Amino acid sequence: MNSTCRLLWVLLIAVIFCTPFPIIAQCIEGTEFNAAHPKREMRGVFLPSVANITWPSNKTASPGVQQTELLGILDKIKANGYNAVFLQIRPESDALYVSSIEPWSIALTGTQGLPPNPVWDPLEFAIKEAHRRGLELHAWLNPYRAKRANYANAPNHVMVKHPEWIFTASNNPMLKILNPGIPAVTGYIVSVVEDLAIRYNLDGIHFDDYFYPDGGMKNQDREAFSNYNPEGLSLADWRRNNVNTMIAKVFDAIQHINASHNKNIVFGVSPAGIWKSGTPAGTRGNPSFSTMYCDPLAWIQAEKVDYIAPQIYWKINSNQDYNRLAQWWNDQTGNDTQLYISQAYYKIIDGSKWPATEIQNQINKNRAPSMTMTSGQIVYRYNEIGNNDGKVNTALNGAQYKYPAFVPPVLGRGKDTLCPKPPFNIRFEGLHLKWETPGEAADGDLPRKYVVYAFDSPEQARTHQNDGSKILAITAELQIALTQEQIDRKYFVVTSLDKNNNEAGDFSHFPFTLNQLNKFVGFD
């Protein structure tokens, strides 16, 4: 190499490796390039704490043991292609977090109201560790359930402080419910949500399908019906209206907090999978509309949920056919509401003994062209992932979840639509691809995480921006490790994701390898 060429080579290195790339506010949008491998897809996992079903598995274990267990769960969720955690933090009107409103949960310490020793905040810990892994963390609450077993309540539990708010399910003497017909109960639930939304860096607030007790109502709310029914509704309509009112007030409270605190907390519910028996035609089963008195279609139409996640816990081609129900829910979902389908991984090991192919086929249905409003799925529950039951991880990692994906930006009023700034100074250092954090966007946001793409050519980068099969990693770090072969053969793009997963990046600049530099200046 002569001195002139050597100088050119050095100058190119200086320009490419030492000069930050231009910061271009280019928001990456467009339809999915590859339906089999979408890059925007909810892949959530439910972690139930009630009865210690998943975490913590031992309610009397030390905080250190519980923390280690949770870290292992988060690692396995990340390793198997999921991107969001739905952690149950309020199972029985008690708290797996530091709360001035409700007592410590029995699921955490074995005694309701007993703080962990040493004291720690499981929710704060979970948020920090989930975000460190590039995972979303949604707080899962049961709005009305007060108690489900025989144990002593803490002095500051709602059953002790407000016994007049409580009734017992007629079909289960252990199940105690906050009366949805009492306006003060709605205010209480809203206060719990507001406390969480203000104090914690949450990605979402989630309610499950427990409203009025399933088939357990026999006039326990007679007095409330008489006192709080100014519109003269029928009993059934009044009960549904109570739930509708609570959902709307929770949504509005979260909206206000988002606007005043520059947050993007989303709110959604996973109702039972059947709205009304016979709807859609041919469906038989327990309807939430008349047994739990909830009407998810009313929430969608009123735009009081950001997403809906119906629990379609049945097989394809059964009496409660997954495909038929999924399509029906898709067709009811409005433009400002996302649809995620809740799936029943637990049936892989229960008496149903589902094969992994059933889960794969359900995901394929969720991605079908007719499922225009469907943006992914949330699985109940982690346990089967943790054990790779039915080799479900093996099956999905080889096909549907072969490549990473990030949760789609949530639509609707009050949600963040401003793009972040893309990372800069993207470069190689040894066998690592590194980059720098950009400045704040117009709304004050910094990136929450980064998407790393690996393309075969510069032209492919420009034409395959929305091809999920080109995603190499999604990370909250400022670097990833590569192999020498990847460095020699691939062209890399790194983009930013903000708090609503708006994506920004530049697909026209690439960090060059030394081999590519040599070819660029004519040395082989």
Side-chain angles (χ1 to χ4, degrees), residues 123-296:
L123 180 56
E124 182 178 311
F125 179 85
I127 292 169
K128 178 182 176 181
E129 293 299 335
H131 287 175
R132 182 178 296 179
R133 291 159 175 77
L135 301 169
E136 291 194 354
L137 197 290
H138 297 243
W140 163 19
L141 291 73
N142 299 91
Y144 293 122
R145 185 166 62 201
K147 191 172 184 177
R148 51 163 295 280
N150 187 20
Y151 57 82
N153 287 117
N156 63 329
H157 188 262
V158 66
M159 283 187 61
V160 178
K161 294 174 67 176
H162 293 285
E164 72 279 9
W165 289 358
I166 308 298
F167 65 71
T168 302
S170 62
N171 57 356
N172 181 355
M174 290 291 101
L175 181 57
K176 310 298 181 180
I177 298 293
L178 288 166
N179 190 338
I182 298 176
V185 165
T186 295
Y188 180 75
I189 293 168
V190 171
S191 73
V192 169
V193 171
E194 288 174 329
D195 176 58
L196 283 163
I198 289 171
R199 291 196 296 120
Y200 291 94
N201 186 24
L202 289 165
D203 297 292
I205 299 284
H206 180 86
F207 288 172
D208 60 21
D209 62 326
Y210 291 102
F211 297 101
Y212 281 86
D214 186 358
M217 291 303 297
K218 289 187 178 178
N219 297 320
Q220 301 98 310
D221 53 354
R222 183 188 299 108
E223 183 177 352
F225 179 61
S226 175
N227 293 338
Y228 305 111
N229 184 20
E231 298 178 12
L233 298 173
S234 69
L235 179 61
D237 286 343
W238 174 77
R239 287 171 176 169
R240 281 186 286 270
N241 186 62
N242 294 331
V243 176
N244 293 349
T245 299
M246 183 273 291
I247 293 291
K249 286 183 178 296
V250 166
F251 178 84
D252 291 344
I254 294 172
Q255 290 285 93
H256 176 74
I257 291 167
N258 283 343
S260 59
H261 291 73
N262 189 28
K263 294 193 174 191
N264 195 76
I265 299 170
V266 301
F267 174 55
V269 184
S270 52
I274 295 176
W275 178 59
K276 291 182 179 180
S277 188
T279 304
T283 299
R284 299 199 303 269
N286 197 28
S288 63
F289 187 84
S290 55
T291 61
M292 288 177 277
Y293 299 98
C294 70
D295 186 2

